[in-house]
Every structure is written in structure tokens, then in C-alpha cells.
Amino acid sequence: MAFIKVENLTHIYHPGTPQESVALDKVNLSIEAGEFVAVLGTNGSGKSTLARHLNGLLLPTEGRCFIRGLDTCNEQELWQIRQQIGMVFQNPDNQLIAAVVEDDVAFGPENLGMDPQEIRAKVNASLQAVNMAKYRTFAPHLLSGGQKQRIAIAGALAMDTDCLVLDEPTAMLDPQGREEVLRTVQKLHEERGITIVYITHFMEEASVADRIVVMDKGQVAADGTPREIFADVPGMKKCGLDVPLAVEVVWQLRHQGIKLPEDILTEDELVEALEAYTCQSN
Amino acid sequence: MSIELKQVSYTYMPKTPYEHKALDDVSFTLDEGSFTAIAGHTGSGKSTLVQHLNGLLHPECGQVLVDGVDLADSSRTGRQAAKEARNKVGMVFQYPEQQLFEETIAADIAFGPKNQGLEGEALAKRVKEAMELMGLDYAAYKDRSPFQLSGGQKRRVAIAGVLALHPKYLVLDEPTAGLDPQGREDLIQIICRLRKKWKLTIVFVSHNMEDIARLADSVVIMNHGQMAIKAAPQAAFEQVGILQAAGLQEPQMLHLLHRLQAVGLPVKADGIQLADGIHAIKEALSHAK
């Protein structure tokens, strides 16, 4: 059974009013446990609407959304779903609520009625997992953006979440903060097998995922590995998106007759390929 | 005429356990017609700095002069001039679309100039002009709700609201954050056009080194409340050590070219834009043969 299964999902905002807009149009998608899926798409392509269906913050206008077979439309199952899917939003200031970091992380487990000792253990372990243990008594507003996002992630981990849905978690961060958050997410995925759904506008971030889903006008426009997705440079640009710099450079050089391998994704691979190219021609 | 910062320092919550020195002896001049980028990591003092440019914050020590007028002047004789000087500086905050509130786009953009006493035909003209500058067709959009627009369009409405005030200086705090690649590109084109058409003096905060290289004639790099560099982007990017200390990265293309140099490829590492980089790599490959 797929971890996340979205069937024929349609979502219409303000139906029956002049503001009516179709945000998702018969989307089908399934994500297996332990996958790291990046979701790309322009503003208004339906990415965030999709993310908000995954833990029942939004409910389908039509179609269904299942998490481990549990239906988000079934109110009795909703709490169980929300415990399994942790959400992290764009603006860290909108999701931290307590005056002290560890209180904030404890908020979820407290609401689940966990035993205080267990809460303490969970909070410590979660803060360690995001490398923020030494900040546990800090006030969240004194932290940097990247640190705040890691606290938000810790809050989800403390609920024993199996899946993190992150909606542009790095959009408001500086380069260092972006790197911290991405590394943390990668680590949680690799070491704990947490399923990741990662929405972003940064193509370089998407390239570290196992799989990329491209949304366009409320539909899934493409679905494949980063190498497959970024191979279609004109197609990505047509969707209002971009490709990582290394991919773009290879694409341009190949078009100008320089025979480099087609499937280069990262800067490391590009440097290696250009080095090999010059050795070959010598 | 210019905006001039003279030894500006600012401390948040002085004399409390939370005391934090956000700006430490910062001095520089933004000449009329210049296009300046401000970069630095979170907490480096960028936002505190831009809030000084139109008097939202007043320096604890030092002065901010706009066209020679001290923004903090509260004396009976200077008060009016300081107010007028503050009005010359238009401020677009981060995520300005969160500040939209009116029922129609035209009404939202008209809010500022209306408060300055403009009305009737003159007001409508201002709104129309600002919308067209931001690439929003007046007839098609004026009566629509701003909340029905895409993220990129909402942001353009919000910026139009500031332009309708006819500022002489425009300050943009991370204008492209959170936009998709196409939206980012569109907004950058519009900002370039604004500068050409209106000869606006522009200051923008950005983390994007590519945008800085493309747009700015000089960049101010902030670190721990101090100005680490003020130089032309190209010259600033050469100081990799200072950039890294300030939590910034050199532009991606430059990074790639430097790595190619390190493995012995004879590339000239002076390109930042894609076309320059491609050209440099091609040159190097043909020399290597």
C-alpha cells in the first residue's frame, strides 16, 4: 500500500462564486513510504493546495486523499493522519507558538496526552535530531530563520511523525539557513527513512530528491527522477521553471557541439566531465 | 542629492538582558540614480539598516540624511522638512502582498496618494501610471480584487501602491523572495525598467548573488551590524573570504569557474551570467586542445 495516495483529487476554491478557481484538477499521485519527493511548480500551480490536502487541512472538492489507507475525508481518522504527517510552512514566525524552544517542541506531544517523562525524552531526541539541543532554553524569536525552521521540524518529529510535508521551507531564509534546513531534511530521510514531500522554487534543492513532481495549472505535468525531469530544459522553462546551473551549462555546451554526457546533474559531475573532456582531447 | 548614513549605530532593547547591537558605526552614501544591493545573513543588520532609510527607526548615534535633511530632526523648525524627506523614500517590505487590504486593485494602490491629499482625476492618473509601470493593464485589472491574483501579480500591486506615492528613492526588501523563477525574472525586468524610465534611485536587499550582479552598481555587505564591503559587485565577489565570513556564497557561475580553474582548466573566471560562463568554458576547451 502506498504511503500517500491521491486519487482524482480536485480542489475548487470558492465554488459557485465569481472568485471560483480550480486549484487542483483530477490529480493522481502515489508516494511510497521512505521516498523523498520534491514538488516544483510556479506560483498558483497548486503545490500548496496539494500539500494542505495531505494532512486534511484542506478537503477534496472531488476525489480522495489516503494516508496509509486512512481517508482524510473521514473525520474520525483525521487525528491519526495528522499525527503521521508533520507540516512545515514557509514562514517560521507563523508556526512557533511558545516562548521557549523546548516548550514549542513539547506542544504536540502534550496535546497527545503523553506522559511527562516521555515528552521530555521526545523533546530532547527531536532537538538532537535537528542539531538544536543546545538552544533548548532559548526564546524562538532570537534564533535565525534556519534555526526556527529546524525547531518547527523538531516539533513534528516529537509527534513521532513518519512523513514531513514542507511547503517552501527555505523561501524566507538566507543561503546558510537554506543549507541547514535542506541538510537536516536529507539527514532525517537517510537516517530514519522519513518520507519527505518538499515543495520548493529552488531547482538545486529539488535535485537532491529521489523524485520530482512538476505541477502546472493544477495538474501533474511531469513525474520522474531529477535527471529525467531536468533533461527536458525547454519543457521546464515552458512551465515557468528552471534547471540547476550545471544542467543548463551542459545543455548549452552540447548545443554548441561540445560532446558532454547528457545526464549531468550536479556541479561535481560537471567539473569531472569537463576535466575528462580536456584529457580526452589532449 | 543622496541618502547619506553617517556613523549610524542602533541597539535593540538597550539596557535589558536582550540588548542587541544591530548596527555598529555604519557610514555610506547612496548617490542619486545609483542602484545598490544590500546583502548579509539573517541577523546581520540588513533590515534594521533599511528601516533607517525612511526614518522608521532613528539611529541611536549618528545621522541619516536624505537630500541633506536629517530624518530624525524633531525640532520645531526642522520637523516639517524631516517629514517631507521621509516621504521621498518609498519602502517595499518583505512579502508586501500581505499588506494588501482593499476590495479592488485600484483602491488599494490609491490608498497612499489619497492620504497625501490627492483626489479625482489626478488620483486616477497616479494609479493608472503606477499599474502600467508594474506591467498591470489598468482597464483589465483596476476593478478586480487583489486577492484573486497570483503571488507575483499581488506583489506587483503592492509595489505599485508605493510607486503611486512618487518616491524619489525606492527601497525593496527582498523583492523576489518566494517567487517562482518566471515571476522572479518578470519582476527583475520591471525593476530595471523603473530605473531607466523614472531614474529612480534604488536600494534592494537580496540573497541572490546573480540578481545583485545583474542589477546593482554597488553592493553593501553587512556582517554583525558592520559594513564589511561596499564595492562594485564584481570586485566584492572576488573577496571570497569576506563573503563567506558574512554567510554568503559567491555567484554559482563564478563558483563553477573557480572550481574548473582548480582542476587545471585554463578558464577566465570573470563571468557571472550564464552566457559569459559558457563563453569562458568554450574558450578554455578550445585552448586545451
Side-chain angles (χ1 to χ4, degrees):
Chain A
M1 181 173 50
F3 186 85
I4 294 171
K5 190 154 187 59
V6 172
E7 280 180 1
N8 258 322
L9 176 60
T10 295
H11 191 88
I12 301 174
Y13 286 110
H14 314 294
T17 71
Q19 283 97 346
E20 179 173 299
S21 79
V22 180
L24 291 175
D25 185 8
K26 299 193 190 73
V27 172
N28 285 294
L29 186 67
S30 74
I31 294 173
E32 299 299 324
E35 265 193 292
F36 183 161
V37 181
V39 182
L40 297 176
T42 56
N43 298 107
S45 62
K47 304 180 306 280
S48 296
T49 306
L50 177 64
R52 275 153 218 244
H53 278 81
L54 301 182
N55 75 342
L57 281 177
L58 289 175
L59 296 175
T61 308
E62 269 170 54
R64 283 276 187 279
C65 181
F66 297 101
I67 307 302
R68 280 211 173 111
L70 301 170
D71 188 344
T72 59
C73 290
N74 184 342
E75 217 171 309
Q76 263 107 47
E77 292 176 347
L78 207 50
W79 290 108
Q80 231 178 314
I81 288 172
R82 290 198 178 140
Q83 211 175 319
Q84 293 184 39
I85 305 247
M87 295 279 285
V88 176
F89 295 101
Q90 192 182 87
N91 187 346
D93 293 322
N94 291 348
Q95 52 195 324
L96 300 181
I97 40 128
V100 178
V101 163
E102 58 182 3
D103 285 353
D104 197 276
V105 178
F107 181 79
E110 273 170 1
N111 276 290
L112 296 178
M114 254 186 225
D115 182 67
Q117 267 171 331
E118 202 185 338
I119 295 179
R120 166 61 62 199
K122 285 261 188 294
V123 168
N124 289 345
S126 307
L127 284 172
Q128 245 150 30
V130 299
N131 205 11
M132 285 295 290
K134 69 174 176 204
Y135 293 95
R136 64 185 181 86
T137 59
F138 273 56
H141 73 274
L142 296 176
L143 302 176
S144 74
Q147 291 171 330
K148 286 181 196 169
Q149 286 298 49
R150 287 188 282 150
I151 298 300
I153 294 173
L157 294 179
M159 306 266 287
D160 279 332
T161 183
D162 299 314
C163 172
L164 284 173
V165 176
L166 303 107
D167 190 356
E168 291 190 51
T170 59
M172 298 181 82
L173 307 183
D174 60 23
Q176 207 178 329
R178 278 209 313 258
E179 177 127 5
E180 284 169 14
V181 170
L182 186 64
R183 283 237 177 100
T184 304
V185 170
Q186 267 183 294
K187 192 179 106 184
L188 293 172
H189 170 245
E190 279 158 21
E191 291 175 6
R192 303 183 169 208
I194 290 182
T195 310
I196 309 286
V197 178
Y198 191 99
I199 297 177
T200 183
H201 284 316
F202 294 105
M203 304 301 141
E204 266 77 14
E205 292 183 354
S207 69
V208 309
D210 304 326
R211 174 178 164 198
I212 294 177
V213 170
V214 180
M215 300 287 299
D216 190 27
K217 299 185 190 79
Q219 296 180 322
V220 174
D223 185 346
T225 64
R227 271 176 228 283
E228 288 163 2
I229 295 293
F230 290 132
D232 182 14
V233 177
M236 289 297 278
K237 300 215 160 161
K238 221 179 87 200
C239 281
L241 298 172
D242 211 341
V243 296
L245 181 71
V247 176
E248 174 94 52
V249 168
V250 170
W251 195 78
Q252 297 253 0
L253 288 174
R254 279 175 58 87
H255 270 78
Q256 298 181 27
I258 293 166
K259 291 195 179 58
L260 292 171
E262 223 172 338
D263 62 343
I264 287 171
L265 187 61
T266 64
E267 194 183 83
D268 287 345
E269 292 167 2
L270 175 58
V271 171
E272 210 173 287
L274 284 171
E275 211 183 348
Y277 183 87
T278 46
C279 292
Q280 207 177 45
S281 42
N282 276 338
Chain B
M1 297 313 235
S2 60
I3 299 183
E4 203 178 338
L5 276 80
K6 285 184 172 171
Q7 296 175 306
V8 172
S9 295
Y10 189 83
T11 305
Y12 284 105
M13 297 190 270
K15 299 186 187 108
T16 73
Y18 299 108
E19 180 172 302
H20 172 66
K21 193 158 203 177
L23 290 180
D24 185 5
D25 196 16
V26 176
S27 302
F28 60 78
T29 303
L30 304 168
D31 289 319
E32 193 169 330
S34 64
F35 201 143
T36 309
I38 298 177
H41 63 87
T42 317
S44 62
K46 299 179 310 254
S47 293
T48 309
L49 179 65
V50 296
Q51 288 179 65
H52 277 79
L53 299 180
N54 76 338
L56 285 172
L57 293 175
H58 290 316
E60 185 188 5
C61 321
Q63 275 186 317
V64 180
L65 305 175
V66 172
D67 295 345
V69 176
D70 183 350
L71 293 186
D73 193 342
S74 59
S75 69
R76 189 188 294 223
T77 45
R79 205 183 293 162
Q80 187 57 29
K83 193 180 166 199
E84 279 162 20
R86 287 199 291 269
N87 277 338
K88 289 183 187 171
V89 186
M91 178 77 74
V92 178
F93 291 103
Q94 269 181 47
Y95 294 83
E97 60 276 17
Q98 291 171 357
Q99 300 169 34
L100 298 173
F101 66 99
E102 271 283 8
E103 282 180 13
T104 70
I105 290 171
D108 205 288
I109 296 170
F111 182 78
K114 209 164 145 186
N115 273 297
Q116 288 186 339
L118 227 58
E119 52 190 23
E121 195 65 18
L123 181 62
K125 212 178 127 210
R126 273 286 176 93
V127 172
K128 188 169 179 220
E129 170 195 59
M131 282 178 70
E132 271 156 17
L133 274 166
M134 292 313 291
L136 296 158
D137 183 57
Y138 181 69
Y141 283 100
K142 71 179 168 67
D143 296 322
R144 285 177 61 180
S145 160
F147 300 102
Q148 289 173 33
L149 302 176
S150 75
Q153 286 173 322
K154 273 189 208 164
R155 189 162 301 180
R156 284 192 262 154
V157 171
I159 299 175
V162 174
L163 290 178
L165 292 163
H166 275 189
K168 181 172 167 192
Y169 302 94
L170 181 67
V171 182
L172 302 141
D173 194 352
E174 293 195 49
T176 62
L179 295 182
D180 59 55
Q182 186 63 51
R184 206 146 57 204
E185 183 58 36
D186 291 347
L187 189 55
I188 285 174
Q189 296 286 355
I190 288 171
I191 294 173
C192 286
R193 219 163 54 216
L194 272 180
R195 185 194 187 193
K196 265 197 206 131
K197 252 188 155 164
W198 265 18
K199 313 267 183 281
L200 272 176
T201 305
I202 300 178
V203 180
F204 75 111
V205 175
S206 176
H207 293 310
N208 187 317
M209 295 295 148
E210 282 72 25
D211 290 354
I212 291 176
R214 234 173 101 185
L215 296 171
D217 11 84
S218 78
V219 55
V220 171
I221 292 178
M222 297 293 296
N223 191 12
H224 294 299
Q226 295 181 324
M227 189 174 79
I229 309 179
K230 182 175 192 282
Q234 191 73 44
F237 296 149
E238 275 163 25
Q239 315 210 37
V240 179
I242 298 181
L243 278 186
Q244 277 169 353
L248 299 169
Q249 291 156 342
E250 60 181 332
Q252 278 187 313
M253 181 54 89
L254 214 51
H255 188 253
L256 172 65
L257 296 176
H258 281 145
R259 279 193 63 187
L260 291 174
Q261 280 182 337
V263 299
L265 223 68
V267 289
K268 273 213 298 217
D270 58 0
I272 294 166
Q273 304 309 331
L274 182 69
D276 303 335
I278 298 284
H279 182 74
I281 294 172
K282 265 181 68 184
E283 287 266 286
L285 291 180
S286 64
H287 281 304
K289 277 192 177 171

